[in-house]
Amino acid sequence: MTGPEATPSFRLAYVPGVTPAKWVRIWNERLPDIPLALVQVPAHGAQELLRAGDADAAFLRLPVEGTDLSAIPLYTETTVVVVPKDHLVAAVDELSVTELADEIVLHPMDDALPWEQLPGRPALERPATTADAVELVAAGIGVLVVPQSLARLHHRKDLTYRPLTDAPESRVALSWPQKKTTDQVEDFIGIVRGRTVNSSRGRAGAASAAQPKAKDKDRAKRASGTGSGKGSRGGSGRSGGAKGAARGAKGGAAPKRGKPRRRP
């Protein structure tokens, strides 16, 4: 359906490893009349999707290229190395990048980490995807360094992972086209930033916050009118009391008459 009668919707893209369920739930609670459609995209496909107008906003990994896309950094992911369960690395709690010097470290084409210098020894070929690289780790070809969310996403019973203390980190952000900062985008930004429904900075929250203020004004007006009535009645009582006091004063001024005395 198109045209003014079409039901508005909000299209939210997200890259592998990001879990938008919490924010989607809050959206559905606050804006039930506006459906939210989730669009899963490859690791490096979110920016192109936004520029093409096929999504209103996206959860992606920084950096964002160019100045046409706005971005709000949300959190930083822990970096881990994925190894077979019987690997020597599995015996330690954490390790540094230098300890991978003798390992073949797989570097998939969709790598999510901003490496300045790749660790370990390179493989003969780069896997096409992180999922392919995980399969090669399971086959004993090498190890894989990824954000922890991707290690969890591609979890296998025969693999495990350990934190890398000095490796580059992946930062997840909410991004959208700068020239298309719509009311719905503003609403979603408010949700992601943890604003309450009554927040004055949120469009929906501002409308909700305005209603109690209007009610307060009505109550104030009614209270003011009622107070005037009471004051008027109180004034009448005071006036009546004053008149009564005046009458009492006049009555007090009249001479008292005693009983007549008998003559002896």
Side-chain angles (χ1 to χ4, degrees), residues 100-101 103-107 118-126 141:
L100 299 177
E103 300 287 342
I104 294 177
V105 180
L106 302 168
H107 186 212
L118 294 173
R121 296 184 294 142
L124 295 177
E125 296 182 1
R126 293 183 64 181
I141 304 299

Side-chain angles (χ1 to χ4, degrees), residues 20-32 34 36 187-188 190-197:
K22 175 182 69 175
W23 297 298
V24 172
R25 175 181 55 79
I26 297 174
W27 174 280
N28 291 333
E29 291 173 354
R30 294 187 185 179
L31 301 163
I34 304 178
L36 189 151
D187 288 335
F188 196 75
I191 289 172
V192 169
R193 283 186 163 174
R195 297 174 192 160
T196 63
V197 69

Side-chain angles (χ1 to χ4, degrees), residues 241-262:
K243 292 179 179 178
R247 288 195 297 269
K250 292 180 180 179
K256 294 182 180 180
R257 293 182 179 180
K259 295 181 179 181
R261 294 181 180 180
R262 295 182 180 179

Side-chain angles (χ1 to χ4, degrees), residues 40-129:
Q40 187 172 11
V41 294
H44 300 303
Q47 296 184 41
E48 288 74 11
L49 197 74
L50 291 174
R51 291 189 174 98
D54 294 328
D56 299 296
F59 288 116
L60 46 71
R61 290 186 173 85
L62 297 175
V64 171
E65 300 174 359
T67 59
D68 58 326
L69 298 180
S70 298
I72 300 174
L74 300 178
Y75 58 89
T76 300
E77 298 183 284
T78 299
T79 302
V80 301
V81 55
V82 181
V83 298
K85 278 192 172 180
D86 57 358
H87 196 282
L88 292 176
V89 168
V92 301
D93 293 332
E94 60 183 25
L95 66 159
S96 65
V97 173
T98 57
E99 295 179 77
L100 299 177
D102 296 331
E103 300 287 342
I104 294 177
V105 180
L106 302 168
H107 186 212
M109 300 296 290
D110 62 354
D111 188 8
L113 297 172
W115 292 104
E116 292 184 1
Q117 183 177 356
L118 294 173
R121 296 184 294 142
L124 295 177
E125 296 182 1
R126 293 183 64 181
T129 65

